[in-house]
Amino acid sequence: MSPLQNALTQLKKAAELVKLDAAVLEILKKPKKIHEFSIPVKMDSGETKVFDGYRVQWNDARGPFKGGIRFHPKTDLNEVEALSFWMTIKCAAVGIPYGGGKGGVTVDPKKLSKTELERLSRGYTQALKDYIGPERDIPAPDVYTTPQIMGWIMDEFSKIKGYNVPGVVTGKPLEIGGSAGRGTATAQGGFYILEEVAKKFHPMGDDPKGQKIKNKKLSVVIQGFGNAGANMADLCFHAGYKIIGISDSQTAIIDKSGKGFDSHTIAKMKEKKGVVDVCECKEIKCACKDHVHTTNEKLLETDCDILILAALENQITKKNVGRVKAKVILELANGPTAPEADEKLFKKNVLVVPDVLANAGGVTVSYFEWVQNLANYYWSEKEVFEKLKKIMVENFDAAWKIKEQNKTDLRTAVFALALGRLEKAIKARGWA
Ligand code: GLU
């Protein structure tokens, strides 16, 4: 099924559970506005290439549209629609005052030079100049978009307005109004959730103080080595989890020493921003001999306590779900588990911590960035993470209660939490 079909299937299930008002459901099933446009870009060679761009503004009942922009060769309107719907649920699930939106450009940014990428980013901003802004719609990074790209967008928008508008976009470099902690926020938020899961979910250890996180050395496999995956690997490693498998978009490696990757390997991967290079290293200390290369499919089937999905949509589907051995799946990516797979995992007692909560740390710190921009007053990283932890843990607890009370899966419970908030806002506005 397409990402949008998956998203709407999840909506239907949760709407039934909470007996959502029929009119509210109709509103939430559709995007408020779709922007579809082409972006001509002068390439360094002198020729002009035209790229397809999108911005979907799903719902703004709870506040301005909010969500990242994805630059990916396989991005299309269906995917961007699904992602903007998930942003609507996500912002409501953590109770931040935003609606949901998402953008995308069908492009392989790895094939563009820096100047071409800059022209594309500025072109994207020009196309949306009347539809984005701190009170309207606030983009941010997503797959293959960076703080530098956010800096160009902020600059282009500010030039159009004739004054500085830092709050038009989040995930900016620190020097021009970015927030401390935003770079690692998605992983950090997911990590706070993981530690809560480790305390509550018995198969992972039932020590009342949660001490088993360190003692038992839970084994972790991470699919994806972008911003979320790489930072999560770092956090898990330093908290004492045993990382036994990692992949990037090219390859995957599995530990065969039985001890998990060592600090040298983790550091090397972080430095090289990927998996391939670490195994090509020639240094004596390089732990390559302890790894075996494998495919992405095999990585997902590795026997482990926690499988962290930090790549793209539709990774666990009805085709491979039967071979998944993890006890917990944490979704740092958006939409990595398809609904049919979700059902099977629930029956097998595998806990799936859904994207709309597990990766909400990114947009939550985006919210903090926007607040700091509007106030022109900046916080320390410590303050940012304290506030982030409070939001993540409180909403995790609220969702967990719904899950226990209704004997449902955690995704449906998080959706239920979000739908309750959305329904109240939609009714308060008189839309339904
Ligand atoms: N792209 C991220 C997400 O999917 C962050 C969005 C934001 O910060 O607005 O949640």
Side-chain angles (χ1 to χ4, degrees):
M1 289 206 295
S2 73
L4 187 57
Q5 281 171 319
N6 287 347
L8 295 178
T9 306
Q10 294 164 351
L11 170 63
K12 191 165 167 267
K13 185 170 179 202
E16 277 163 17
L17 178 77
V18 299
K19 300 189 177 54
L20 192 70
D21 180 286
V24 172
L25 178 59
E26 282 313 299
I27 291 171
L28 288 174
K29 268 185 191 165
K30 295 209 170 95
K32 189 160 179 185
K33 215 175 234 175
I34 293 179
H35 304 273
E36 212 178 339
F37 43 91
S38 51
I39 313 164
V41 176
K42 262 272 164 63
M43 305 304 279
D44 294 345
S45 63
E47 66 165 332
T48 296
K49 273 198 184 160
V50 183
F51 297 94
D52 294 329
Y54 316 93
R55 183 80 187 166
V56 177
Q57 299 176 320
W58 197 274
N59 186 282
D60 63 349
R62 301 186 67 262
F65 303 105
K66 183 85 189 83
I69 306 168
R70 176 171 294 202
F71 284 2
H72 194 274
K74 294 213 172 96
T75 289
D76 60 15
L77 183 58
N78 182 291
E79 182 189 58
V80 178
E81 282 187 270
L83 292 164
S84 78
F85 166 77
W86 282 320
M87 285 310 302
T88 307
I89 298 293
K90 192 184 301 181
C91 293
V94 285
I96 57 176
Y98 288 136
K102 198 82 174 201
V105 176
T106 314
V107 60
D108 184 352
K110 290 178 186 165
K111 292 198 178 129
L112 299 189
S113 69
K114 192 172 175 192
T115 47
E116 289 166 346
L117 196 58
E118 175 172 353
R119 288 193 287 273
L120 177 67
S121 308
R122 290 185 186 277
Y124 186 86
T125 314
Q126 284 286 347
L128 286 170
K129 67 180 171 42
D130 297 327
Y131 308 104
I132 57 172
E135 292 87 22
R136 282 192 184 136
D137 182 354
I138 307 123
D142 195 74
V143 174
Y144 294 152
T145 48
T146 58
Q148 172 65 81
I149 293 176
M150 300 307 122
W152 291 324
I153 294 176
M154 181 278 217
D155 182 67
E156 191 67 20
F157 190 80
S158 298
K159 278 182 183 150
I160 294 164
K161 292 287 169 190
Y163 52 90
N164 231 2
V165 193
V168 63
V169 68
T170 56
K172 300 177 293 290
L174 278 180
E175 298 71 24
I176 51 170
S179 174
R182 178 62 186 85
T184 54
T186 306
Q188 190 67 58
F191 183 73
Y192 292 141
I193 298 286
L194 179 62
E195 298 230 282
E196 292 306 303
V197 168
K199 282 186 222 158
K200 287 190 191 270
F201 193 61
H202 292 284
M204 287 174 59
D206 46 12
D207 185 308
K209 289 190 205 120
Q211 290 300 319
K212 286 213 177 146
I213 297 173
K214 287 200 174 67
N215 299 346
K216 195 185 149 200
K217 280 228 167 199
L218 296 169
S219 58
V220 176
V221 167
I222 304 178
Q223 184 206 26
F225 210 75
N227 173 285
N231 287 308
M232 194 65 172
D234 207 38
L235 285 168
C236 287
F237 180 79
H238 288 105
Y241 291 81
K242 188 165 84 173
I243 303 180
I244 59 167
I246 288 192
S247 73
D248 63 14
S249 61
Q250 308 299 316
T251 187
I253 52 168
I254 294 185
D255 170 75
K256 58 172 189 188
S257 71
K259 290 185 276 189
F261 300 135
D262 60 12
S263 61
H264 174 79
T265 311
I266 295 284
K268 195 93 199 168
M269 285 199 265
K270 207 177 161 203
E271 182 196 321
K272 299 283 179 188
K273 291 195 170 70
V275 168
V276 185
D277 291 353
V278 72
C279 283
E280 285 169 357
C281 76
K282 305 270 185 295
E283 294 161 40
I284 299 162
K285 268 192 82 185
C286 176
C288 294
K289 56 183 183 339
D290 292 335
H291 308 151
V292 16
H293 273 262
T294 185
T295 59
N296 235 295
E297 291 85 73
K298 285 271 176 296
L299 181 94
L300 298 176
E301 297 165 13
T302 308
D303 196 354
C304 62
D305 291 312
I306 306 149
L307 172 61
I308 298 176
L309 302 173
L312 295 168
E313 302 92 39
N314 274 330
Q315 299 301 303
I316 309 290
T317 63
K318 62 179 178 211
K319 279 190 202 140
N320 62 355
V321 66
R323 295 189 293 276
V324 169
K325 296 176 197 72
K327 299 183 189 75
V328 171
I329 295 179
L330 187 99
E331 300 183 333
L332 284 188
N334 290 306
T337 312
E340 306 105 318
D342 246 346
E343 262 179 48
K344 295 223 164 81
L345 291 166
F346 183 63
K347 283 192 189 127
K348 277 202 324 191
N349 206 19
V350 175
L351 178 73
V352 180
V353 189
D355 48 6
V356 285
L357 178 67
N359 72 27
V363 73
T364 301
V365 177
S366 275
Y367 165 54
F368 296 159
E369 180 173 331
W370 178 78
V371 168
Q372 292 170 80
N373 293 155
L374 299 186
N376 252 304
Y377 177 72
Y378 289 83
W379 313 341
S380 67
E381 188 179 84
K382 190 167 167 276
E383 282 173 277
V384 167
F385 286 155
E386 274 167 12
K387 289 182 169 71
L388 173 65
K389 185 170 182 183
K390 188 167 180 291
I391 289 184
M392 298 304 293
V393 173
E394 277 178 8
N395 288 294
F396 172 80
D397 285 344
W400 193 269
K401 259 195 207 120
I402 298 175
K403 166 185 142 55
E404 299 283 277
Q405 276 163 5
N406 295 282
K407 300 200 175 1
T408 189
D409 58 283
L410 190 56
R411 185 185 317 280
T412 307
V414 174
F415 266 61
L417 179 66
L419 290 178
R421 290 172 181 159
L422 280 158
E423 181 167 29
K424 282 197 188 120
I426 287 172
K427 289 201 166 153
R429 281 175 182 268
W431 294 354

